[in-house]
Amino acid sequence: MSAPQAPFTFFDNPEMMGNPFPMFAGLRQNAPVFKPPGSNMWMVTTYEDALRIIRDPQTFSSEVGQAPAEGESRPPTILFDDPPIHTRMRGLLTGAFTPRVIEQQRSAIEENCKIMVDRMLEGETADFIAGIAYPLPVMVIAAMLGVQDGDMATFKRWSDAIIENVASSLFEPATNALDEINREFDAYFSTQLDKLRAAPEDNLLSALIHAKDEDGSQLSQSDLLVICRVLLVAGNETTTGVIVNVARVFTAFPEVLGQLKEHPELIPSMIEETLRYYPPFPATFRRVTRDVEVHGVTIPKDDRLLVLIASANHDEKAFDRAEDFVIDRDPNRHLGFGQGIHYCLGAPLARLETQIVLQTLLPRIKAMRIEGDAGAVLVPGGPKEMTVRFELDRAYALA
Ligand code: HEM
């Protein structure tokens, strides 16, 4: 297996990434599967191809990183594993990631959301990322992993560092700084796991420790550490992304906020349309396990693909009025949470968090819009700050 080059030069043009959709439309039309010069990573841009690829893990493997050296093994990650390792980890995680566990987060999310919104609305403008989009998902994952309030600042530092490095660390050896963070992270969670093993608590991590798969086996300490890291990586930045993208929608399509105030029952479909229009996980990798033809192009065994979810979600062949924001789109078969065996396990949680943000914010404002540059739509990691101007709803203040 040869080492792929990281494809991020593709995302490096901030001007293009501010509104990449016209470029994607051109690619779907003229070069639906293509390899940028000097890269060995194929871009896949249509909905049909994207769906076929993510639904066929035998031909399109999720094991995209460098193969471990002879005699070494790589810890499982779930996201970048194929069956049978993936099947086992997913089974254990699904067993513990029940609707009850998700529902248990509701009251804490509501309480924290209210505090965060109150604080943001003290002025006419606020940093929407520092105010809510970033801290809310971190707080939720931290609570599920039993992280104490006093350890939150350290948890956030690890979260930032791991997320910043996650994609590049797939393709390149980890840096010393990342190694150090991983060691600190593992040491903290090893202690945490020992504590919870001795005295179970009512949180996700505790449930995972005690979860058993069909043959009665339990997750090992190293599996559990990997899961802590996956939840941190898979669950934080993406959820920050969808909350940020709600602000993008209210800015680009100002009528949507009024429609939601009048018809709050549209909140769930508005969230799905936000995930279609601005997917926070804009692309995913796969490796082909044999020579295979995609859209008339033969892709040699072991080459990597970047499946552009963001382009598939705007494919006019799959969605009527693909460039419009259709608040009540139904059906909405967007690929924002993926599809098939890797379909996002955290989707119900992400939906719940975004719903509560909207339910808390909407009665109190008449409009909100991003001030200045809204930043690139698709850069992994998203913008670091985003000033939003609010127009308060006086009727709420008087009520
Ligand atoms: C709006 C927020 C989110 C988005 C857009 C999102 C998106 C995705 C996507 C596209 C995949 C599939 C990747 C692939 O097929 O290669 C995925 C997988 C996954 N997500 Fe999410 N995610 C979100 C939130 C969360 C949350 C909150 C959690 C957990 C707390 C989570 C946990 C996972 C896990 C564990 C997987 C791997 C599943 C597997 O490989 O079987 N995600 N997510």
Side-chain angles (χ1 to χ4, degrees):
M1 221 189 267
S2 63
Q5 297 144 22
F8 299 115
T9 45
F10 187 70
F11 290 110
D12 275 354
N13 182 336
E15 233 161 78
M16 203 183 262
M17 287 299 118
N19 178 13
F21 303 116
M23 176 188 69
F24 289 157
L27 289 173
R28 285 193 303 273
Q29 184 80 31
N30 302 311
V33 175
F34 83 106
K35 189 157 72 157
S39 160
N40 63 352
M41 182 82 68
W42 296 86
M43 307 289 151
V44 176
T45 58
T46 72
Y47 184 89
E48 197 186 348
D49 293 335
L51 194 60
R52 168 190 167 199
I53 289 166
I54 56 184
R55 277 191 176 160
D56 178 1
Q58 271 182 331
T59 314
F60 303 98
S61 163
S62 287
E63 291 184 1
V64 292
Q66 294 191 50
E70 269 300 296
E72 280 183 20
S73 63
R74 193 175 53 81
T77 59
I78 191 167
L79 203 50
F80 300 110
D81 287 313
D82 291 335
I85 294 174
H86 171 267
T87 320
R88 174 170 171 271
M89 293 204 64
R90 184 153 177 125
L92 285 163
L93 209 50
T94 310
F97 223 110
T98 57
R100 185 180 146 266
V101 175
I102 308 290
E103 196 48 39
Q104 269 177 342
Q105 315 308 314
R106 182 186 288 275
S107 60
I109 300 173
E110 282 172 349
E111 254 169 57
N112 281 283
C113 229
K114 187 173 176 317
I115 295 169
M116 289 171 191
V117 167
D118 280 350
R119 209 173 295 147
M120 278 197 302
L121 295 184
E122 277 168 10
E124 287 172 2
T125 63
D127 179 349
F128 199 61
I129 295 184
I132 194 160
Y134 179 73
L136 187 72
V138 175
M139 174 224 98
V140 174
I141 298 286
M144 293 174 88
L145 297 178
V147 173
Q148 310 300 321
D149 284 353
D151 297 331
M152 274 300 280
T154 318
F155 187 71
K156 278 188 189 158
R157 185 168 61 79
W158 291 332
S159 164
D160 286 351
I162 294 175
I163 287 166
E164 243 167 59
N165 287 286
V166 70
S168 54
S169 68
L170 258 183
F171 298 107
E172 295 151 16
T175 60
N176 288 344
L178 186 61
D179 273 348
E180 182 56 35
I181 297 278
N182 279 335
R183 262 196 301 276
E184 280 180 36
F185 184 91
D186 285 358
Y188 177 90
F189 277 100
S190 296
T191 314
Q192 182 79 348
L193 289 166
D194 292 343
K195 253 186 1 210
L196 293 173
R197 206 169 271 119
E201 287 176 18
D202 201 5
N203 60 42
L204 173 71
L205 192 54
S206 197
L208 285 172
I209 292 171
H210 300 279
K212 290 199 171 103
D213 69 13
E214 277 157 17
D215 66 9
S217 81
Q218 285 183 302
L219 287 162
S220 67
Q221 186 86 347
S222 68
D223 286 347
L224 286 161
L225 289 173
V226 168
I227 286 174
C228 292
R229 215 171 300 146
V230 171
L231 292 183
L232 196 65
V233 171
N236 273 342
E237 187 154 309
T238 45
T239 313
T240 296
V242 70
I243 299 172
V244 164
N245 290 343
V246 162
R248 259 185 229 289
V249 170
F250 288 158
T251 307
F253 307 98
E255 68 285 2
V256 170
L257 195 144
Q259 289 168 341
L260 280 184
K261 273 175 86 76
E262 222 166 286
H263 296 284
E265 70 280 7
L266 292 178
I267 288 176
S269 66
M270 181 272 182
I271 294 173
E272 298 311 303
E273 183 67 344
T274 304
L275 287 160
R276 180 188 76 85
Y277 207 94
Y278 297 127
F281 195 135
T284 188
F285 301 105
R286 291 295 186 269
R287 175 177 58 83
V288 300
T289 57
R290 56 176 171 85
D291 291 1
V292 64
E293 199 175 297
V294 182
H295 222 117
V297 177
T298 302
I299 305 194
K301 178 174 186 291
D302 275 343
D303 265 16
R304 284 16 178 224
L305 305 172
L306 188 66
V307 181
L308 287 167
I309 291 173
S311 174
N313 276 0
H314 282 250
D315 189 337
E316 41 294 288
K317 293 207 175 106
F319 300 95
D320 286 341
R321 299 165 58 205
E323 291 312 313
D324 292 348
F325 189 92
V326 181
I327 191 170
D328 56 355
R329 190 181 286 280
D330 182 26
N332 190 346
R333 300 195 180 94
H334 67 80
L335 301 181
F337 286 125
Q339 261 283 337
I341 65 166
H342 290 278
Y343 183 80
C344 178
L345 272 170
L349 180 63
R351 287 183 172 123
L352 180 68
E353 287 181 49
T354 317
Q355 237 174 55
I356 295 174
V357 169
L358 283 167
Q359 281 161 351
T360 314
L361 201 52
L362 282 171
R364 308 189 46 176
I365 57 170
K366 275 176 113 165
M368 68 180 258
R369 64 166 194 280
I370 300 168
E371 285 212 324
D373 181 12
V377 172
L378 296 182
V379 167
K384 297 283 170 259
E385 53 185 47
M386 178 180 271
T387 305
V388 165
R389 177 170 294 276
F390 298 104
E391 192 187 323
L392 296 185
D393 188 333
R394 288 182 191 285
Y396 179 86
L398 295 174

